[in-house]
Amino acid sequence: MEREAQFVGESGAFLDAVEMASRAAALDRPVLVIGERGTGKELIAERLHRLSQRWEGPLITLNCAALPETLIEAELFGHEAGAFTGATRARAGAFEEADGGTLFLDELATLSAAAQERLLRAVEYGEVSRIGSNRPLRVDVRIVAATNENLPDLVERNRFRADLLDRLSFEVVTLPPLRVRESDILILADYFGRRMAVELDWPSWPGFGDEAVTALMAHDWPGNVRELRNVVERAVYRWERSSEPVDAIQLDPFDSPWQIPPEPEPDEKAAAAPSRTAAEPRKTVVSDFKAAVEEYEKEILEAALERARYNQRQTAKALGLSYDQLRHALKRHDMIG
């Protein structure tokens, strides 16, 4: 229980990626880690650091997507007092903090063009300058960067510098998604389930039932290991019979009969609005005006209910009616008991 996450798995694709990272760790060169969200890119970065000659030095992590463009350069390279509004005192950047160790740049593809240019200079010459200072500082930093984007494609579209990609891609470790690691799904699920059982003080771990195993193996896991962990931990904590195998899996925690429907896009609203063409057939002569109006009203109610997934309060809101008005209309058309 010491670590929040560890390398768990036995599939060939997964072990090949870990082995590649382990071999690259000993060389003091930049490494790119590529993979979908939730595949463990940060764990690979930590492995590269811990198995390197820099293992006693700092490991500094910076998520490039978590900061606005106006602040990312200050976070990377630091700033002097008064360099910009709010800079009341000098501050070291991530490069200075990682001196003698490893700097892990997550979400690398989100860097602005200006930050990419400064990063290129830092990688090439081992020098950084704080914002507001002309004095370069020597730093000894190994770069490990990660992204879930196709960087060569971004280069082709002029969204990423080709020369920076050349400098950072001495080795590229590409992590396989969980959907191709079929033999690891139940191993990981068991691992996360056991940890959650310990956290809940269960006397023992009963494992998973057949229905749960089927659900786990049938899912595509677009969120990969992170999604699997959430699903398993949620299933274990909701399970009230700790002596019996966990046999209820909810893959989508938002799945509910009371789920709020998404707002339609503008073009969908236009498509849903009655058009002159759609209304033209109703301009024809009818033999029973009242019956035709009643039938049209019923069609409107049926369509609105379907769009709101039969949530009557949401249907009333969509139609501009009160809940009681909607109920009255539904009863008049014998659409509810």
Side-chain angles (χ1 to χ4, degrees), residues 212-275:
V213 169
T214 299
L216 291 169
M217 293 302 297
H219 191 51
D220 282 340
W221 302 111
N224 294 290
V225 178
R226 186 182 296 121
E227 180 190 4
L228 174 63
R229 175 179 175 175
N230 286 338
V231 167
V232 168
E233 291 183 346
R234 181 168 58 244
V236 174
Y237 111 85
R238 288 180 177 178
W239 191 249
E240 297 180 352
R241 302 185 293 276
S242 61
S243 61
E244 300 178 15
V246 177
D247 212 16
I249 296 289
Q250 184 180 20
L251 295 168
D252 182 3
F254 296 97
D255 185 20
S256 167
W258 322 120
Q259 183 178 5
I260 300 174
E263 283 289 326
E265 297 294 332
D267 54 344
E268 292 178 353
K269 289 182 179 179
S275 64

Short mmCIF file of all heavy atoms in Angstrom, two decimals, residues 212-275:
data_model
loop_
_atom_site.label_atom_id
_atom_site.label_comp_id
_atom_site.label_asym_id
_atom_site.label_seq_id
_atom_site.Cartn_x
_atom_site.Cartn_y
_atom_site.Cartn_z
N ALA A 212 -19.28 -10.13 -13.40
CA ALA A 212 -18.31 -9.04 -13.33
C ALA A 212 -17.14 -9.31 -14.27
O ALA A 212 -16.66 -8.40 -14.97
CB ALA A 212 -17.82 -8.87 -11.90
N VAL A 213 -16.65 -10.53 -14.28
CA VAL A 213 -15.53 -10.89 -15.17
C VAL A 213 -15.92 -10.67 -16.63
O VAL A 213 -15.14 -10.11 -17.42
CB VAL A 213 -15.11 -12.36 -14.93
CG1 VAL A 213 -14.14 -12.82 -16.02
CG2 VAL A 213 -14.45 -12.50 -13.57
N THR A 214 -17.14 -11.08 -16.99
CA THR A 214 -17.61 -10.90 -18.36
C THR A 214 -17.66 -9.42 -18.73
O THR A 214 -17.23 -9.02 -19.82
CB THR A 214 -19.00 -11.53 -18.54
OG1 THR A 214 -18.92 -12.93 -18.27
CG2 THR A 214 -19.52 -11.32 -19.95
N ALA A 215 -18.17 -8.60 -17.83
CA ALA A 215 -18.26 -7.16 -18.09
C ALA A 215 -16.88 -6.53 -18.22
O ALA A 215 -16.64 -5.70 -19.11
CB ALA A 215 -19.05 -6.48 -16.97
N LEU A 216 -15.95 -6.93 -17.37
CA LEU A 216 -14.60 -6.37 -17.42
C LEU A 216 -13.89 -6.73 -18.72
O LEU A 216 -13.19 -5.90 -19.31
CB LEU A 216 -13.78 -6.87 -16.23
CG LEU A 216 -14.19 -6.36 -14.84
CD1 LEU A 216 -13.47 -7.15 -13.76
CD2 LEU A 216 -13.88 -4.87 -14.71
N MET A 217 -14.07 -7.95 -19.18
CA MET A 217 -13.38 -8.40 -20.38
C MET A 217 -14.03 -7.87 -21.66
O MET A 217 -13.36 -7.78 -22.69
CB MET A 217 -13.34 -9.93 -20.42
CG MET A 217 -12.49 -10.56 -19.34
SD MET A 217 -10.76 -9.99 -19.38
CE MET A 217 -10.23 -10.59 -20.98
N ALA A 218 -15.31 -7.52 -21.60
CA ALA A 218 -16.01 -7.07 -22.80
C ALA A 218 -15.82 -5.58 -23.08
O ALA A 218 -16.04 -5.13 -24.20
CB ALA A 218 -17.51 -7.37 -22.68
N HIS A 219 -15.38 -4.82 -22.08
CA HIS A 219 -15.27 -3.37 -22.23
C HIS A 219 -14.01 -2.99 -23.00
O HIS A 219 -12.99 -3.68 -22.91
CB HIS A 219 -15.25 -2.71 -20.84
CG HIS A 219 -15.40 -1.23 -20.86
ND1 HIS A 219 -16.41 -0.59 -21.53
CD2 HIS A 219 -14.67 -0.25 -20.26
CE1 HIS A 219 -16.29 0.72 -21.36
NE2 HIS A 219 -15.24 0.95 -20.60
N ASP A 220 -14.05 -1.88 -23.74
CA ASP A 220 -12.91 -1.44 -24.55
C ASP A 220 -11.89 -0.61 -23.76
O ASP A 220 -10.78 -0.39 -24.22
CB ASP A 220 -13.38 -0.59 -25.74
CG ASP A 220 -13.94 -1.45 -26.85
OD1 ASP A 220 -13.63 -2.65 -26.89
OD2 ASP A 220 -14.70 -0.92 -27.67
N TRP A 221 -12.26 -0.09 -22.61
CA TRP A 221 -11.38 0.68 -21.72
C TRP A 221 -10.72 1.86 -22.43
O TRP A 221 -9.49 1.93 -22.52
CB TRP A 221 -10.32 -0.22 -21.09
CG TRP A 221 -10.93 -1.34 -20.31
CD1 TRP A 221 -10.90 -2.66 -20.62
CD2 TRP A 221 -11.68 -1.23 -19.09
NE1 TRP A 221 -11.60 -3.39 -19.68
CE2 TRP A 221 -12.10 -2.53 -18.73
CE3 TRP A 221 -12.06 -0.15 -18.28
CZ2 TRP A 221 -12.86 -2.79 -17.60
CZ3 TRP A 221 -12.82 -0.40 -17.15
CH2 TRP A 221 -13.21 -1.71 -16.82
N PRO A 222 -11.52 2.82 -22.92
CA PRO A 222 -10.92 4.01 -23.55
C PRO A 222 -10.08 4.83 -22.58
O PRO A 222 -9.16 5.53 -23.01
CB PRO A 222 -12.14 4.81 -24.03
CG PRO A 222 -13.29 4.32 -23.19
CD PRO A 222 -12.99 2.87 -22.93
N GLY A 223 -10.36 4.74 -21.27
CA GLY A 223 -9.55 5.44 -20.27
C GLY A 223 -8.41 4.60 -19.73
O GLY A 223 -7.72 5.02 -18.79
N ASN A 224 -8.25 3.38 -20.28
CA ASN A 224 -7.15 2.49 -19.96
C ASN A 224 -7.07 2.13 -18.47
O ASN A 224 -8.11 1.95 -17.84
CB ASN A 224 -5.85 3.10 -20.49
CG ASN A 224 -5.86 3.16 -22.01
OD1 ASN A 224 -5.79 2.14 -22.67
ND2 ASN A 224 -5.97 4.35 -22.57
N VAL A 225 -5.86 2.03 -17.93
CA VAL A 225 -5.69 1.52 -16.56
C VAL A 225 -6.35 2.43 -15.54
O VAL A 225 -6.92 1.96 -14.56
CB VAL A 225 -4.19 1.34 -16.24
CG1 VAL A 225 -4.01 0.85 -14.80
CG2 VAL A 225 -3.55 0.35 -17.21
N ARG A 226 -6.32 3.73 -15.77
CA ARG A 226 -6.94 4.66 -14.83
C ARG A 226 -8.45 4.41 -14.75
O ARG A 226 -9.05 4.41 -13.68
CB ARG A 226 -6.66 6.10 -15.24
CG ARG A 226 -7.16 7.13 -14.22
CD ARG A 226 -6.90 8.55 -14.69
NE ARG A 226 -5.46 8.81 -14.79
CZ ARG A 226 -4.85 9.17 -15.91
NH1 ARG A 226 -5.55 9.28 -17.03
NH2 ARG A 226 -3.56 9.41 -15.93
N GLU A 227 -9.07 4.19 -15.91
CA GLU A 227 -10.50 3.91 -15.92
C GLU A 227 -10.80 2.58 -15.24
O GLU A 227 -11.76 2.47 -14.46
CB GLU A 227 -11.02 3.89 -17.36
CG GLU A 227 -12.51 3.60 -17.45
CD GLU A 227 -12.99 3.34 -18.88
OE1 GLU A 227 -12.14 3.31 -19.79
OE2 GLU A 227 -14.21 3.17 -19.07
N LEU A 228 -9.99 1.56 -15.51
CA LEU A 228 -10.18 0.25 -14.89
C LEU A 228 -10.10 0.36 -13.38
O LEU A 228 -10.92 -0.23 -12.65
CB LEU A 228 -9.13 -0.73 -15.42
CG LEU A 228 -9.11 -2.11 -14.75
CD1 LEU A 228 -10.42 -2.86 -14.99
CD2 LEU A 228 -7.92 -2.94 -15.23
N ARG A 229 -9.14 1.09 -12.89
CA ARG A 229 -9.00 1.25 -11.44
C ARG A 229 -10.25 1.88 -10.84
O ARG A 229 -10.76 1.42 -9.81
CB ARG A 229 -7.77 2.11 -11.14
CG ARG A 229 -7.63 2.43 -9.66
CD ARG A 229 -6.40 3.26 -9.37
NE ARG A 229 -6.35 3.64 -7.97
CZ ARG A 229 -5.36 4.28 -7.39
NH1 ARG A 229 -4.30 4.60 -8.11
NH2 ARG A 229 -5.39 4.60 -6.13
N ASN A 230 -10.76 2.95 -11.47
CA ASN A 230 -11.96 3.60 -10.95
C ASN A 230 -13.16 2.65 -10.94
O ASN A 230 -13.93 2.61 -9.97
CB ASN A 230 -12.29 4.84 -11.79
CG ASN A 230 -11.35 5.99 -11.53
OD1 ASN A 230 -10.72 6.05 -10.48
ND2 ASN A 230 -11.24 6.89 -12.48
N VAL A 231 -13.33 1.90 -12.01
CA VAL A 231 -14.45 0.96 -12.11
C VAL A 231 -14.37 -0.10 -11.02
O VAL A 231 -15.34 -0.40 -10.34
CB VAL A 231 -14.49 0.32 -13.51
CG1 VAL A 231 -15.44 -0.87 -13.53
CG2 VAL A 231 -14.91 1.34 -14.56
N VAL A 232 -13.18 -0.67 -10.85
CA VAL A 232 -13.01 -1.74 -9.87
C VAL A 232 -13.20 -1.21 -8.44
O VAL A 232 -13.92 -1.81 -7.63
CB VAL A 232 -11.62 -2.40 -10.03
CG1 VAL A 232 -11.32 -3.31 -8.84
CG2 VAL A 232 -11.57 -3.20 -11.32
N GLU A 233 -12.56 -0.11 -8.11
CA GLU A 233 -12.68 0.42 -6.76
C GLU A 233 -14.11 0.82 -6.44
O GLU A 233 -14.60 0.61 -5.32
CB GLU A 233 -11.74 1.61 -6.58
CG GLU A 233 -10.26 1.20 -6.58
CD GLU A 233 -9.34 2.38 -6.32
OE1 GLU A 233 -9.80 3.54 -6.40
OE2 GLU A 233 -8.15 2.15 -6.03
N ARG A 234 -14.82 1.38 -7.44
CA ARG A 234 -16.22 1.73 -7.22
C ARG A 234 -17.06 0.48 -6.99
O ARG A 234 -17.94 0.45 -6.10
CB ARG A 234 -16.74 2.51 -8.43
CG ARG A 234 -18.19 2.96 -8.31
CD ARG A 234 -18.55 3.97 -9.39
NE ARG A 234 -18.32 3.45 -10.73
CZ ARG A 234 -17.44 3.94 -11.57
NH1 ARG A 234 -16.66 4.94 -11.22
NH2 ARG A 234 -17.32 3.44 -12.78
N ALA A 235 -16.80 -0.57 -7.76
CA ALA A 235 -17.57 -1.81 -7.60
C ALA A 235 -17.34 -2.44 -6.23
O ALA A 235 -18.28 -2.92 -5.59
CB ALA A 235 -17.18 -2.80 -8.71
N VAL A 236 -16.11 -2.42 -5.76
CA VAL A 236 -15.79 -3.04 -4.46
C VAL A 236 -16.43 -2.27 -3.31
O VAL A 236 -17.04 -2.85 -2.42
CB VAL A 236 -14.26 -3.15 -4.28
CG1 VAL A 236 -13.92 -3.65 -2.88
CG2 VAL A 236 -13.66 -4.09 -5.33
N TYR A 237 -16.33 -0.95 -3.35
CA TYR A 237 -16.86 -0.20 -2.21
C TYR A 237 -18.39 -0.22 -2.18
O TYR A 237 -19.00 -0.11 -1.11
CB TYR A 237 -16.30 1.23 -2.22
CG TYR A 237 -17.28 2.32 -2.53
CD1 TYR A 237 -18.08 2.87 -1.54
CD2 TYR A 237 -17.40 2.83 -3.83
CE1 TYR A 237 -18.97 3.88 -1.82
CE2 TYR A 237 -18.28 3.83 -4.12
CZ TYR A 237 -19.07 4.36 -3.11
OH TYR A 237 -19.96 5.36 -3.40
N ARG A 238 -19.03 -0.40 -3.34
CA ARG A 238 -20.50 -0.50 -3.36
C ARG A 238 -21.00 -1.89 -2.98
O ARG A 238 -22.16 -2.04 -2.63
CB ARG A 238 -21.02 -0.14 -4.76
CG ARG A 238 -20.92 1.34 -5.11
CD ARG A 238 -21.46 1.58 -6.51
NE ARG A 238 -21.47 2.99 -6.86
CZ ARG A 238 -21.87 3.45 -8.05
NH1 ARG A 238 -22.29 2.60 -8.98
NH2 ARG A 238 -21.85 4.75 -8.29
N TRP A 239 -20.13 -2.87 -3.05
CA TRP A 239 -20.54 -4.25 -2.78
C TRP A 239 -20.72 -4.44 -1.28
O TRP A 239 -19.79 -4.18 -0.51
CB TRP A 239 -19.50 -5.21 -3.34
CG TRP A 239 -19.92 -6.66 -3.36
CD1 TRP A 239 -19.42 -7.67 -2.60
CD2 TRP A 239 -20.89 -7.25 -4.23
NE1 TRP A 239 -20.02 -8.86 -2.93
CE2 TRP A 239 -20.94 -8.63 -3.93
CE3 TRP A 239 -21.74 -6.74 -5.21
CZ2 TRP A 239 -21.80 -9.51 -4.58
CZ3 TRP A 239 -22.60 -7.62 -5.87
CH2 TRP A 239 -22.61 -8.98 -5.56
N GLU A 240 -21.87 -4.88 -0.86
CA GLU A 240 -22.19 -4.95 0.57
C GLU A 240 -21.99 -6.33 1.17
O GLU A 240 -22.16 -6.51 2.38
CB GLU A 240 -23.63 -4.48 0.80
CG GLU A 240 -23.85 -3.03 0.40
CD GLU A 240 -25.29 -2.58 0.64
OE1 GLU A 240 -26.13 -3.46 0.96
OE2 GLU A 240 -25.56 -1.37 0.51
N ARG A 241 -21.65 -7.31 0.36
CA ARG A 241 -21.48 -8.69 0.88
C ARG A 241 -20.01 -9.07 0.72
O ARG A 241 -19.61 -9.72 -0.24
CB ARG A 241 -22.40 -9.65 0.13
CG ARG A 241 -23.88 -9.27 0.23
CD ARG A 241 -24.79 -10.29 -0.42
NE ARG A 241 -24.62 -10.36 -1.87
CZ ARG A 241 -25.23 -9.54 -2.72
NH1 ARG A 241 -26.01 -8.56 -2.28
NH2 ARG A 241 -25.05 -9.66 -4.03
N SER A 242 -19.20 -8.65 1.68
CA SER A 242 -17.75 -8.78 1.55
C SER A 242 -17.27 -10.23 1.54
O SER A 242 -16.14 -10.49 1.15
CB SER A 242 -17.06 -8.03 2.70
OG SER A 242 -17.45 -8.57 3.96
N SER A 243 -18.12 -11.16 1.94
CA SER A 243 -17.72 -12.57 1.93
C SER A 243 -18.02 -13.24 0.59
O SER A 243 -17.62 -14.39 0.36
CB SER A 243 -18.44 -13.33 3.05
OG SER A 243 -19.85 -13.28 2.86
N GLU A 244 -18.73 -12.55 -0.30
CA GLU A 244 -19.10 -13.12 -1.59
C GLU A 244 -18.36 -12.40 -2.72
O GLU A 244 -18.03 -11.22 -2.60
CB GLU A 244 -20.61 -13.00 -1.82
CG GLU A 244 -21.45 -13.72 -0.78
CD GLU A 244 -22.94 -13.52 -1.01
OE1 GLU A 244 -23.31 -13.09 -2.14
OE2 GLU A 244 -23.73 -13.78 -0.10
N PRO A 245 -18.10 -13.09 -3.84
CA PRO A 245 -17.41 -12.45 -4.96
C PRO A 245 -18.16 -11.22 -5.46
O PRO A 245 -19.39 -11.22 -5.56
CB PRO A 245 -17.37 -13.55 -6.03
CG PRO A 245 -17.46 -14.83 -5.26
CD PRO A 245 -18.34 -14.53 -4.08
N VAL A 246 -17.41 -10.17 -5.78
CA VAL A 246 -18.01 -8.94 -6.31
C VAL A 246 -18.57 -9.24 -7.70
O VAL A 246 -17.83 -9.68 -8.58
CB VAL A 246 -16.95 -7.82 -6.39
CG1 VAL A 246 -17.54 -6.56 -7.01
CG2 VAL A 246 -16.38 -7.54 -5.01
N ASP A 247 -19.86 -9.00 -7.88
CA ASP A 247 -20.48 -9.42 -9.14
C ASP A 247 -21.38 -8.34 -9.74
O ASP A 247 -22.32 -8.64 -10.47
CB ASP A 247 -21.27 -10.71 -8.95
CG ASP A 247 -21.26 -11.58 -10.20
OD1 ASP A 247 -20.41 -11.33 -11.07
OD2 ASP A 247 -22.09 -12.49 -10.31
N ALA A 248 -21.11 -7.08 -9.41
CA ALA A 248 -21.87 -5.97 -10.00
C ALA A 248 -20.89 -4.90 -10.45
O ALA A 248 -20.13 -4.38 -9.63
CB ALA A 248 -22.86 -5.40 -8.99
N ILE A 249 -20.88 -4.62 -11.74
CA ILE A 249 -19.95 -3.65 -12.32
C ILE A 249 -20.74 -2.54 -13.00
O ILE A 249 -21.61 -2.81 -13.83
CB ILE A 249 -19.02 -4.32 -13.35
CG1 ILE A 249 -18.13 -5.37 -12.69
CG2 ILE A 249 -18.17 -3.28 -14.07
CD1 ILE A 249 -17.06 -4.81 -11.79
N GLN A 250 -20.46 -1.30 -12.64
CA GLN A 250 -21.04 -0.15 -13.35
C GLN A 250 -19.90 0.55 -14.08
O GLN A 250 -19.07 1.21 -13.47
CB GLN A 250 -21.74 0.82 -12.41
CG GLN A 250 -22.42 1.96 -13.15
CD GLN A 250 -23.13 2.94 -12.24
OE1 GLN A 250 -22.84 3.03 -11.06
NE2 GLN A 250 -24.06 3.69 -12.81
N LEU A 251 -19.88 0.40 -15.39
CA LEU A 251 -18.80 0.98 -16.19
C LEU A 251 -18.92 2.49 -16.29
O LEU A 251 -17.91 3.19 -16.30
CB LEU A 251 -18.80 0.35 -17.58
CG LEU A 251 -18.47 -1.15 -17.61
CD1 LEU A 251 -18.79 -1.73 -18.98
CD2 LEU A 251 -17.02 -1.40 -17.25
N ASP A 252 -20.15 2.99 -16.38
CA ASP A 252 -20.38 4.43 -16.51
C ASP A 252 -21.05 4.95 -15.25
O ASP A 252 -22.24 4.70 -15.03
CB ASP A 252 -21.26 4.71 -17.73
CG ASP A 252 -21.49 6.20 -17.95
OD1 ASP A 252 -20.91 7.01 -17.19
OD2 ASP A 252 -22.24 6.56 -18.88
N PRO A 253 -20.33 5.68 -14.39
CA PRO A 253 -20.93 6.17 -13.15
C PRO A 253 -22.02 7.21 -13.38
O PRO A 253 -22.80 7.51 -12.47
CB PRO A 253 -19.74 6.78 -12.39
CG PRO A 253 -18.78 7.17 -13.46
CD PRO A 253 -18.94 6.15 -14.54
N PHE A 254 -22.11 7.77 -14.59
CA PHE A 254 -23.13 8.77 -14.90
C PHE A 254 -24.41 8.14 -15.43
O PHE A 254 -25.40 8.84 -15.65
CB PHE A 254 -22.59 9.77 -15.94
CG PHE A 254 -21.44 10.58 -15.43
CD1 PHE A 254 -20.13 10.21 -15.72
CD2 PHE A 254 -21.64 11.70 -14.65
CE1 PHE A 254 -19.06 10.96 -15.26
CE2 PHE A 254 -20.58 12.46 -14.18
CZ PHE A 254 -19.29 12.07 -14.48
N ASP A 255 -24.41 6.83 -15.63
CA ASP A 255 -25.59 6.15 -16.17
C ASP A 255 -26.69 6.15 -15.12
O ASP A 255 -26.54 5.56 -14.04
CB ASP A 255 -25.22 4.72 -16.57
CG ASP A 255 -26.37 4.00 -17.24
OD1 ASP A 255 -27.29 4.69 -17.74
OD2 ASP A 255 -26.36 2.76 -17.29
N SER A 256 -27.79 6.81 -15.41
CA SER A 256 -28.89 6.93 -14.46
C SER A 256 -30.17 7.28 -15.20
O SER A 256 -30.12 8.02 -16.20
CB SER A 256 -28.59 8.01 -13.41
OG SER A 256 -29.75 8.34 -12.67
N PRO A 257 -31.32 6.77 -14.75
CA PRO A 257 -32.58 7.18 -15.39
C PRO A 257 -32.88 8.65 -15.17
O PRO A 257 -33.72 9.22 -15.86
CB PRO A 257 -33.62 6.29 -14.70
CG PRO A 257 -32.99 5.87 -13.41
CD PRO A 257 -31.53 5.77 -13.70
N TRP A 258 -32.18 9.29 -14.22
CA TRP A 258 -32.40 10.71 -13.93
C TRP A 258 -31.29 11.59 -14.50
O TRP A 258 -31.16 12.74 -14.14
CB TRP A 258 -32.51 10.93 -12.41
CG TRP A 258 -33.25 9.83 -11.72
CD1 TRP A 258 -32.77 9.03 -10.73
CD2 TRP A 258 -34.58 9.40 -11.98
NE1 TRP A 258 -33.72 8.11 -10.35
CE2 TRP A 258 -34.85 8.32 -11.09
CE3 TRP A 258 -35.59 9.81 -12.86
CZ2 TRP A 258 -36.06 7.65 -11.08
CZ3 TRP A 258 -36.79 9.13 -12.84
CH2 TRP A 258 -37.02 8.08 -11.96
N GLN A 259 -30.51 11.00 -15.38
CA GLN A 259 -29.40 11.76 -15.96
C GLN A 259 -29.91 12.96 -16.74
O GLN A 259 -30.88 12.88 -17.49
CB GLN A 259 -28.59 10.86 -16.89
CG GLN A 259 -27.37 11.52 -17.50
CD GLN A 259 -26.58 10.55 -18.37
OE1 GLN A 259 -27.01 9.43 -18.58
NE2 GLN A 259 -25.45 10.99 -18.88
N ILE A 260 -29.26 14.11 -16.54
CA ILE A 260 -29.64 15.32 -17.26
C ILE A 260 -29.19 15.19 -18.71
O ILE A 260 -28.01 14.96 -18.97
CB ILE A 260 -29.00 16.56 -16.61
CG1 ILE A 260 -29.48 16.70 -15.16
CG2 ILE A 260 -29.31 17.82 -17.41
CD1 ILE A 260 -28.79 17.80 -14.39
N PRO A 261 -30.10 15.32 -19.67
CA PRO A 261 -29.70 15.17 -21.07
C PRO A 261 -28.80 16.32 -21.50
O PRO A 261 -28.90 17.43 -20.98
CB PRO A 261 -31.03 15.22 -21.84
CG PRO A 261 -31.95 15.97 -20.94
CD PRO A 261 -31.54 15.63 -19.53
N PRO A 262 -27.88 16.06 -22.41
CA PRO A 262 -26.97 17.12 -22.88
C PRO A 262 -27.72 18.18 -23.67
O PRO A 262 -28.75 17.90 -24.29
CB PRO A 262 -25.97 16.38 -23.77
CG PRO A 262 -26.73 15.17 -24.24
CD PRO A 262 -27.64 14.79 -23.11
N GLU A 263 -27.20 19.41 -23.62
CA GLU A 263 -27.77 20.48 -24.41
C GLU A 263 -27.54 20.19 -25.89
O GLU A 263 -26.43 19.86 -26.29
CB GLU A 263 -27.11 21.81 -24.05
CG GLU A 263 -27.60 22.42 -22.74
CD GLU A 263 -29.02 22.93 -22.85
OE1 GLU A 263 -29.40 23.43 -23.94
OE2 GLU A 263 -29.76 22.84 -21.85
N PRO A 264 -28.58 20.29 -26.73
CA PRO A 264 -28.37 20.03 -28.16
C PRO A 264 -27.50 21.09 -28.79
O PRO A 264 -27.48 22.25 -28.36
CB PRO A 264 -29.80 20.07 -28.73
CG PRO A 264 -30.58 20.90 -27.76
CD PRO A 264 -29.96 20.64 -26.41
N GLU A 265 -26.73 20.69 -29.80
CA GLU A 265 -25.92 21.63 -30.55
C GLU A 265 -26.83 22.54 -31.38
O GLU A 265 -27.98 22.19 -31.65
CB GLU A 265 -24.97 20.88 -31.50
CG GLU A 265 -23.95 20.01 -30.78
CD GLU A 265 -22.95 20.83 -29.97
OE1 GLU A 265 -22.71 22.01 -30.36
OE2 GLU A 265 -22.46 20.34 -28.97
N PRO A 266 -26.33 23.73 -31.76
CA PRO A 266 -27.18 24.65 -32.53
C PRO A 266 -27.81 24.03 -33.77
O PRO A 266 -28.97 24.28 -34.07
CB PRO A 266 -26.21 25.78 -32.91
CG PRO A 266 -25.19 25.76 -31.81
CD PRO A 266 -25.03 24.32 -31.43
N ASP A 267 -27.02 23.21 -34.50
CA ASP A 267 -27.59 22.60 -35.70
C ASP A 267 -28.64 21.57 -35.35
O ASP A 267 -29.60 21.36 -36.09
CB ASP A 267 -26.49 21.96 -36.55
CG ASP A 267 -25.64 20.98 -35.77
OD1 ASP A 267 -25.70 21.01 -34.53
OD2 ASP A 267 -24.93 20.18 -36.40
N GLU A 268 -28.50 20.90 -34.16
CA GLU A 268 -29.49 19.94 -33.73
C GLU A 268 -30.78 20.64 -33.34
O GLU A 268 -31.88 20.15 -33.58
CB GLU A 268 -28.96 19.12 -32.55
CG GLU A 268 -27.81 18.20 -32.93
CD GLU A 268 -27.29 17.45 -31.73
OE1 GLU A 268 -27.72 17.77 -30.59
OE2 GLU A 268 -26.45 16.56 -31.91
N LYS A 269 -30.64 21.83 -32.70
CA LYS A 269 -31.83 22.60 -32.35
C LYS A 269 -32.59 23.01 -33.60
O LYS A 269 -33.81 22.96 -33.65
CB LYS A 269 -31.42 23.84 -31.56
CG LYS A 269 -30.92 23.56 -30.15
CD LYS A 269 -30.59 24.85 -29.44
CE LYS A 269 -30.11 24.59 -28.03
NZ LYS A 269 -29.75 25.85 -27.32
N ALA A 270 -31.82 23.42 -34.63
CA ALA A 270 -32.47 23.82 -35.87
C ALA A 270 -33.18 22.65 -36.52
O ALA A 270 -34.27 22.79 -37.07
CB ALA A 270 -31.43 24.41 -36.83
N ALA A 271 -32.53 21.47 -36.44
CA ALA A 271 -33.16 20.29 -37.04
C ALA A 271 -34.41 19.88 -36.29
O ALA A 271 -35.37 19.37 -36.86
CB ALA A 271 -32.15 19.13 -37.07
N ALA A 272 -34.39 20.11 -34.95
CA ALA A 272 -35.54 19.71 -34.14
C ALA A 272 -36.70 20.68 -34.28
O ALA A 272 -37.85 20.33 -34.04
CB ALA A 272 -35.13 19.62 -32.67
N ALA A 273 -36.41 21.94 -34.67
CA ALA A 273 -37.47 22.94 -34.80
C ALA A 273 -38.35 22.61 -35.99
O ALA A 273 -37.87 22.17 -37.04
CB ALA A 273 -36.85 24.33 -34.97
N PRO A 274 -39.66 22.82 -35.87
CA PRO A 274 -40.54 22.53 -37.00
C PRO A 274 -40.26 23.47 -38.16
O PRO A 274 -40.10 24.67 -37.98
CB PRO A 274 -41.94 22.77 -36.42
CG PRO A 274 -41.73 23.67 -35.25
CD PRO A 274 -40.39 23.30 -34.70
N SER A 275 -40.09 22.93 -39.33
CA SER A 275 -39.81 23.72 -40.53
C SER A 275 -41.09 23.96 -41.31
O SER A 275 -42.10 23.30 -41.12
CB SER A 275 -38.79 23.00 -41.42
OG SER A 275 -39.35 21.79 -41.89
#
